[in-house]
Amino acid sequence: MRVDVVTIFPDYLAPLGLSLVGRARESGVIDLRVHDLREWATDRHRSVDDTPYGGGAGMVMRPDVWGAALDAVAPPAVTPAPRLVVPTPSGRPFDQAFARKLAAEPWLVFACGRYEGIDARVVAEAATRMPVDEVSLGDYVLGGGEAAALVVLEAVARLLPGVVGNPESLVEESHGADGLLEYPVYTKPVSWRGHEVPDVLLTGHHANIARWRRDQALRRTAERRPDLLDRLDPESLDAHDRAVLADLGWVPPAGED
Ligand code: JAH
């Protein structure tokens, strides 16, 4: 997969040389190129922003500079065009399903904004010739899109073939197949600072362990993320699951039919 990142802080992307994404780059799975937006600034001060039409606080990133940058990174004649990912607090929520979709793409371009954001015509114009996704990682505002691009790239990189050693660890994960939070995990020693590993995990009784883990996942999800329970396929809950959830006061949503 080829990945381009356009930013006014190229050094912010330095962690992409480390850990999982760094290894994916060394092995050739990811071809990552980071670009300084100011290369496409034209004035003496290499400015990339200007005051907002209509007034208001802060500065807005200029469409001419962004247009030149995107034309250089992804020339309009090149096919197939990349998918453009724009991190912004006003984007669609990024989730694991979206990470899987991005991981299937051959070429991603990240446009990292700063200040009050990028002139809206940049996304409008780019969308006439490439797929564009404005994505949010959650309901908070960062100083710019760089940290969000790092997060999205790490979520995508670990899904690429050959990046994670044991592909089983991709199956059994929070926000994976079953739509529940992960159960708690334990390792040695059995007793640590007065806290014990739950007995059932020491029995070797695989059916009981699976049931206990399932109950823990249901409890955690009900407690921390009831919104995920409401989105579950009712077919994915067995009678025991429903009993556990009823005990926690969860009422199944009315069927649609
Ligand atoms: C802030 C451009 N949802 C996380 C997120 C993503 C991007 C930004 N903030 C939060 C952001 C300022 C300018 C992007």
Side-chain angles (χ1 to χ4, degrees), residues 34-56:
V34 179
H35 312 270
D36 184 347
L37 179 69
R38 289 193 199 278
E39 281 180 37
W40 292 280
T42 51
D43 64 327
R44 211 159 53 83
H45 299 104
R46 302 216 295 163
S47 69
V48 296
D49 60 336
D50 208 333
T51 53
Y53 277 122

Side-chain angles (χ1 to χ4, degrees), residues 13-203:
L13 285 299
L16 294 176
L18 304 172
S19 189
L20 182 133
V21 180
R23 268 188 288 114
R25 292 175 70 185
E26 280 165 18
S27 70
V29 173
I30 295 179
D31 171 12
L32 177 77
R33 308 174 194 190
V34 179
H35 312 270
D36 184 347
L37 179 69
R38 289 193 199 278
E39 281 180 37
W40 292 280
T42 51
D43 64 327
R44 211 159 53 83
H45 299 104
R46 302 216 295 163
S47 69
V48 296
D49 60 336
D50 208 333
T51 53
Y53 277 122
M59 299 292 272
V60 174
M61 296 191 99
R62 290 164 50 157
D64 55 342
V65 179
W66 269 108
L70 294 178
D71 284 352
V73 169
V78 171
T79 54
R83 180 172 286 273
L84 181 64
V85 180
V86 186
T88 165
S90 42
R92 296 181 191 280
F94 180 74
D95 61 9
Q96 192 63 28
F98 206 86
R100 284 191 287 264
K101 182 171 107 161
L102 295 184
E105 294 284 338
W107 185 9
L108 302 176
V109 176
F110 289 85
C112 300
R114 284 264 146 185
Y115 315 111
E116 303 309 308
I118 304 172
D119 184 301
R121 293 168 294 180
V122 172
V123 160
E125 193 271 337
T128 65
R129 51 206 169 76
M130 65 187 94
V132 181
D133 296 299
E134 294 185 87
V135 300
S136 167
L137 301 193
D139 296 334
Y140 46 83
V141 181
L142 300 169
E146 289 79 6
L150 287 175
V151 169
V152 171
L153 261 173
E154 183 153 322
V156 170
R158 62 185 291 283
L159 299 178
L160 298 176
V163 172
V164 171
N166 171 15
E168 268 182 49
S169 63
L170 294 181
V171 180
E172 237 185 89
E173 65 184 346
S174 288
H175 306 108
D178 66 4
L180 299 174
L181 298 185
E182 191 54 284
Y183 51 78
V185 297
Y186 301 86
T187 186
K188 291 168 277 299
V190 150
S191 179
W192 180 75
R193 298 191 180 182
H195 295 258
E196 314 300 320
V197 172
D199 286 334
V200 64
L201 299 180
L202 310 177
T203 62

